[in-house]
Amino acid sequence: MPVTAMYDYQGQPKDVQANFHGNQLVYFGWDKHLMFCAPVCLPLPPDMPFGAVLTEVLPGVYGSHPDWARLDWEQAEWSLDQQPFTPDPQQSLEAQGIHHKSLLRFRVPGLDGIAGSAS
Amino acid sequence: MSANQRLNLREKYQKFTRDLAWEPSYQKKSDIFPQTDFEGIHIHDWDKWEDPFRLTVDAYWKYQAEKEKKLYSIIDAFAQNNGQLNVTDARYINALKLFLTGVSPLEYAAHRGFAMAGRQFGGVGPQVSCQMQSIDELRHVQTQIHTISHYNKYFNGFHDWQHMHDRVWYLSVPKSFFDDAMSAGPFEFVTAISFSFEYVLTNLLFMPFMSGAAFNGDMATVTFGFSAQSDESRHMTLGLEVIKFMLEQDERNVPIVQKWIDKWFWRGYRLLALVSMMMDYMLPKRVMSWKEAWEMYFEQNGGALFEDLARYGIRMPKYWEVTVKEKERLSHEVWSTFYNYDHAAAFHSWVPDEAEMQWLTTKYPHTFDQYYRPRFEHWQSQTDKGERWYNNTLPMLCQTCQIPMVFTEPDDPTTTCYRSSDYKGEKYHFCSDGCKDIFDDEPEKYVQAWLPVHQIYQGNCGGASVPEVLEWYHLRDGEDNKDYLYSQDRANWLKWKGLTEEAERTLKAVVNG
Amino acid sequence: MVNKNNNVYIALQNNEESRPLIEAIEHDNSDARVEFYPAMVKIDAPGRLVIRRETVEDLIGRDWDPQEIHINLISLSGNVIEDEDQFGLERAN
């Protein structure tokens, strides 16, 4: 039963892509860096190339972490919606299956947070 | 019976409740009480409802009046004596800001909710109980506003609590909790609030936290807290009675009641995450840790309750084991969240001092030094350089509890717990199996969640920049928010304590931003 | 189950009016464990705990209605049994 109600109740989803003024939501999580208490949520243009995410978006999000200076994107391991994923910097988000409310996680071997504490 | 013969308690209760009812003659009962069936609960005999307290209206007024008299004499004495100067430390006041914006509006919501539930129940026993509880809840919100209004004269962040409750990001957590309950049917509402929340969980707020308020010199707060909780004792008893009544009426009710217990235990537990941080981080003098309180009030007392209910076929709430695994991390994860986003909160946060970290190490020997101390030390070093660290990107939220996704895997404190569901072509994300199960059971309800982060991005919260959103929250940037270290509250406190030079330095830092 | 958990408890404000109640509980419930916290006292007992009107009246020297418990009660756990002569808590298991 999709809801306990007195009649055939239909909810209106509040966060469909059309409500975000041409953007889509993308969630990012940097594994083992819980100084950032939660993954982040960003509204991004679906035609943004993945390379721009790396050079223009994520530095503003994670650049304040002491590990950031040692981060080499070549070494990063990604997952998209919990499946292993190899991003293509040239292609847009949309073109490589990063949809509205998709989750991107990354981890860089050797970078495990402040003093290795996953912070 | 002669007029002057004294009624015993049972007879008196009978006269003052059952005898108030009547059988409708020209309307169908199902038209008068249209909400009694749709939740799937079967009731055969409303007269089997037994109020164990047998409190009649005359006795109710008498004892409530006496409670009020005691409470107000203490509040008056506190104000006349400038009691706010006698609390251990002004940091403590921030717990009251969270209480007034996060908890007091729930008392008001409960007042409304019980009035609605009482109207919908088809038996006079529960009608009377719900009506008394509705009046109690109104008393609670009034006494809380009255008590805390004294602090509003001296500290920031208290000025527009109801407005904030409706808008500020973290306050959508308590607000949506109650909205969820109130938009359910009357049986689920009472199971949610009276049983799962009040019987199983609110003791953690009203006993160890309020005892902590007393320990920190706040006689005003502990008094309204205990006065409210004494009413809650009746509510808890009502909650247990509701459960037993439903379970005894029809065995088809058992799985429905169990499902509600599972759901509302988890919803309530997630809401209490705020209390964990109030206990471990916001009381300068501590009575007991969150972990100890959870062991005492849930594992031991809650355990006894569920052993008692086993005879009806009721088991411990689903995922209670997860709460035990989380007890050594909960408060640290939540306090870190407010440290991350304090520039958008209506109270101050801070890095615990060395003595406090030592206490946390002792109370949390398996986790604090390993996982949390390093981040606090790093944040302290940033602050020492004059660069207090904030997280400048909005967080991903759980679709059900609406808390940022800060909780970690039950068996791995170093990895965020991610869960998700697809429903009608849309993705939804959750902080836990508990929250995912609740969504999956009633997706049409939760697809409508008003998630503060998404609402900001949709342009519904005053604008896209932090100052615009703060204005929309009625939060004064540089006064109500950010680190305690640079706050007006701290500067004032130092001045009142005669530390004028340090106060001047703090005020200068406030001005410098 | 080896260690049956059937505890009940009552918590009272720690004040002048509660003192005879605590004493009455200790008198009538030999298994009760009394723990003091700031501003509060919590009394646990296995299976059953009772406050008897007679015991309280002997201690305070006046009539006492068990419903007066509401004034200084903070919280409780257990099934409530209440009549003219006692206020009690018990578990069914």
Side-chain angles (χ1 to χ4, degrees), chain B residues 9 53-54 203 211 230 244, chain C residues 9 38 73 75 79 82 84:
Chain B
L9 200 54
F53 262 123
R54 303 205 183 102
N203 277 328
S211 184
S230 71
K244 289 194 289 191
Chain C
Y9 76 78
L73 177 67
S75 190
N79 300 294
E82 188 194 33
E84 290 82 358

Side-chain angles (χ1 to χ4, degrees), chain B residues 134-397:
Chain B
S134 179
I135 298 167
D136 288 340
E137 304 289 0
L138 193 57
R139 178 177 100 85
H140 298 173
V141 66
Q142 286 173 343
T143 53
Q144 288 165 19
I145 295 164
H146 200 149
T147 308
I148 298 178
S149 69
H150 179 71
Y151 287 100
N152 182 44
K153 298 173 190 163
Y154 303 97
F155 298 93
N156 287 324
F158 288 111
H159 55 284
D160 213 350
W161 47 277
Q162 184 65 53
H163 178 92
M164 291 181 193
H165 185 72
D166 290 336
R167 297 190 176 192
V168 177
W169 59 277
Y170 54 92
L171 297 172
S172 83
V173 175
K175 183 181 168 68
S176 62
F177 171 90
F178 239 92
D179 285 353
D180 187 354
M182 281 211 276
S183 54
F187 287 106
E188 183 178 344
F189 175 80
V190 177
T191 307
I193 305 304
S194 300
F195 180 76
S196 298
F197 198 51
E198 294 187 298
Y199 206 113
V200 186
L201 297 169
T202 53
N203 277 328
L204 283 126
L205 175 60
F206 283 99
M207 294 171 70
F209 177 75
M210 287 300 169
S211 184
F215 203 37
N216 284 277
D218 186 359
M219 286 321 294
T221 296
V222 64
T223 306
F224 83 63
F226 285 168
S227 188
Q229 189 64 14
S230 71
D231 295 347
E232 307 266 333
S233 299
R234 262 187 289 111
H235 306 168
M236 288 157 52
T237 308
L238 167 66
L240 184 56
E241 182 51 36
V242 172
I243 296 288
K244 289 194 289 191
F245 175 66
M246 286 191 283
L247 297 171
E248 281 168 4
Q249 282 289 310
D250 197 304
E251 66 181 30
R252 285 171 295 178
N253 295 343
V254 176
I256 302 175
V257 171
Q258 181 72 57
K259 185 177 87 172
W260 289 339
I261 290 173
D262 292 347
K263 168 182 172 180
W264 289 99
F265 168 75
W266 190 258
R267 293 285 269 131
Y269 166 69
R270 275 290 180 248
L271 180 55
L272 282 192
L274 291 170
V275 178
S276 74
M277 114 186 152
M278 287 162 77
M279 289 179 61
D280 283 346
Y281 285 86
M282 301 180 86
L283 293 177
K285 274 170 77 181
R286 291 145 166 92
V287 176
M288 62 168 68
S289 67
W290 165 260
K291 179 188 165 203
E292 290 163 332
W294 191 248
E295 287 166 352
M296 177 182 289
Y297 290 101
F298 177 69
E299 291 177 42
Q300 288 164 29
N301 292 322
L305 167 67
F306 283 99
E307 281 194 30
D308 192 337
L309 290 173
R311 68 201 143 114
Y312 295 107
I314 292 293
R315 52 156 173 75
M316 284 281 270
K318 204 171 169 187
Y319 303 123
W320 72 271
E321 307 92 334
V322 176
T323 69
V324 174
K325 288 177 180 174
E326 286 186 353
K327 71 186 173 189
E328 292 217 40
R329 12 180 158 138
L330 194 67
S331 64
H332 319 298
E333 292 175 344
V334 178
W335 184 246
S336 294
T337 308
F338 284 97
Y339 194 88
N340 269 242
Y341 295 110
D342 199 16
H343 46 321
F347 62 90
H348 304 300
S349 67
W350 54 86
V351 171
D353 66 29
E354 186 43 46
E356 290 168 327
M357 288 218 255
Q358 206 47 54
W359 183 86
L360 291 163
T361 299
T362 312
K363 294 294 179 184
Y364 296 99
H366 308 299
T367 55
F368 188 75
D369 285 353
Q370 197 177 346
Y371 304 120
Y372 310 112
R373 184 186 278 270
R375 79 177 67 154
F376 286 125
E377 287 177 349
H378 172 71
W379 285 338
Q380 187 60 52
S381 72
Q382 293 295 111
T383 300
D384 291 344
K385 282 190 275 180
E387 297 165 12
R388 200 289 193 186
W389 182 82
Y390 291 102
N391 188 334
N392 56 21
T393 316
L394 301 183
M396 176 183 188
L397 307 179

Side-chain angles (χ1 to χ4, degrees), chain B residues 6-10 12 52-56 59 62-64 66-67 70 199 203 206-208 210-212 214-215 219 222-223 225-227 229-234 236-237 240 244 287-288 296-297 299-305 307-308 311, chain C residues 1 3-18 33 35-42 44 62 64-93:
Chain B
R6 209 185 142 130
L7 300 173
N8 73 27
L9 200 54
R10 179 182 277 276
K12 190 173 153 196
F53 262 123
R54 303 205 183 102
L55 197 64
T56 53
K62 182 177 139 195
Y63 291 123
Q64 293 303 89
E66 219 166 307
K67 283 189 203 171
K70 285 178 70 137
Y199 206 113
N203 277 328
F206 283 99
M207 294 171 70
M210 287 300 169
S211 184
F215 203 37
M219 286 321 294
V222 64
T223 306
F226 285 168
S227 188
Q229 189 64 14
S230 71
D231 295 347
E232 307 266 333
S233 299
R234 262 187 289 111
M236 288 157 52
T237 308
L240 184 56
K244 289 194 289 191
V287 176
M288 62 168 68
M296 177 182 289
Y297 290 101
E299 291 177 42
Q300 288 164 29
N301 292 322
L305 167 67
E307 281 194 30
D308 192 337
R311 68 201 143 114
Chain C
M1 198 170 291
N3 285 320
K4 188 155 94 167
N5 180 0
N6 64 353
N7 252 23
V8 297
Y9 76 78
I10 188 165
L12 300 167
Q13 295 193 40
N14 185 12
N15 59 21
E16 199 58 34
E17 285 174 354
S18 296
R33 291 187 313 278
E35 287 239 34
F36 289 90
Y37 296 92
M40 172 178 111
V41 56
K42 181 167 179 276
D44 285 67
R62 66 164 173 87
W64 184 76
D65 182 339
Q67 289 197 328
E68 287 181 44
I69 195 92
H70 284 291
I71 297 166
N72 294 297
L73 177 67
I74 296 172
S75 190
L76 52 79
S77 186
N79 300 294
V80 172
I81 344 145
E82 188 194 33
D83 60 32
E84 290 82 358
D85 295 321
Q86 60 164 350
F87 177 86
L89 296 163
E90 65 180 12
R91 294 280 179 214
N93 58 322

Side-chain angles (χ1 to χ4, degrees), chain C residues 3 12 20 26 29 39 44 56-58 60 73 79:
Chain C
N3 285 320
L12 300 167
E26 285 182 306
N29 304 268
D44 285 67
V56 177
E57 286 182 346
D58 282 348
I60 63 177
L73 177 67
N79 300 294

Side-chain angles (χ1 to χ4, degrees), chain A residues 4-83:
Chain A
T4 305
M6 295 172 73
Y7 55 95
D8 179 24
Y9 182 88
Q10 301 289 319
Q12 279 293 321
K14 262 213 163 38
D15 297 321
V16 294
Q17 192 172 345
N19 296 349
F20 291 88
H21 314 289
N23 289 321
Q24 65 175 71
L25 296 182
V26 185
Y27 304 110
F28 293 91
W30 186 4
D31 285 6
K32 309 293 172 196
H33 288 76
L34 295 170
M35 176 177 100
F36 302 96
C37 62
V40 298
C41 173
L42 288 164
L44 301 174
D47 58 3
M48 179 183 256
F50 199 87
V53 171
L54 301 184
T55 55
E56 290 163 29
V57 177
L58 294 184
V61 177
Y62 292 118
S64 60
H65 196 285
D67 276 351
W68 181 259
R70 299 195 288 136
L71 187 149
D72 172 8
W73 284 124
E74 296 293 315
Q75 307 295 316
E77 296 160 0
W78 290 85
S79 72
L80 170 63
D81 296 320
Q82 304 291 60
Q83 299 299 319

Side-chain angles (χ1 to χ4, degrees), chain B residues 43-143:
Chain B
I43 303 298
H44 304 288
D45 182 3
W46 284 100
D47 277 339
K48 287 281 182 347
W49 178 286
E50 190 66 46
D51 187 341
F53 262 123
R54 303 205 183 102
L55 197 64
T56 53
V57 170
D58 57 337
Y60 174 77
W61 291 125
K62 182 177 139 195
Y63 291 123
Q64 293 303 89
E66 219 166 307
K67 283 189 203 171
E68 288 281 274
K69 250 190 274 175
K70 285 178 70 137
L71 172 63
Y72 277 93
S73 62
I74 290 170
I75 294 173
D76 285 345
F78 186 83
Q80 287 159 1
N81 196 32
N82 278 320
Q84 79 282 355
L85 293 177
N86 298 327
V87 301
T88 45
D89 183 29
R91 289 182 304 167
Y92 160 74
I93 308 295
N94 290 286
L96 298 182
K97 298 176 189 178
L98 187 53
F99 194 100
L100 184 67
T101 54
V103 178
S104 301
L106 298 189
E107 306 273 18
Y108 188 68
H111 156 66
R112 295 176 57 218
F114 279 96
M116 294 196 289
R119 170 63 186 82
Q120 290 302 332
F121 282 128
V124 70
Q127 287 168 6
V128 169
S129 307
C130 286
Q131 188 181 7
M132 280 186 191
Q133 178 157 356
S134 179
I135 298 167
D136 288 340
E137 304 289 0
L138 193 57
R139 178 177 100 85
H140 298 173
V141 66
Q142 286 173 343
T143 53

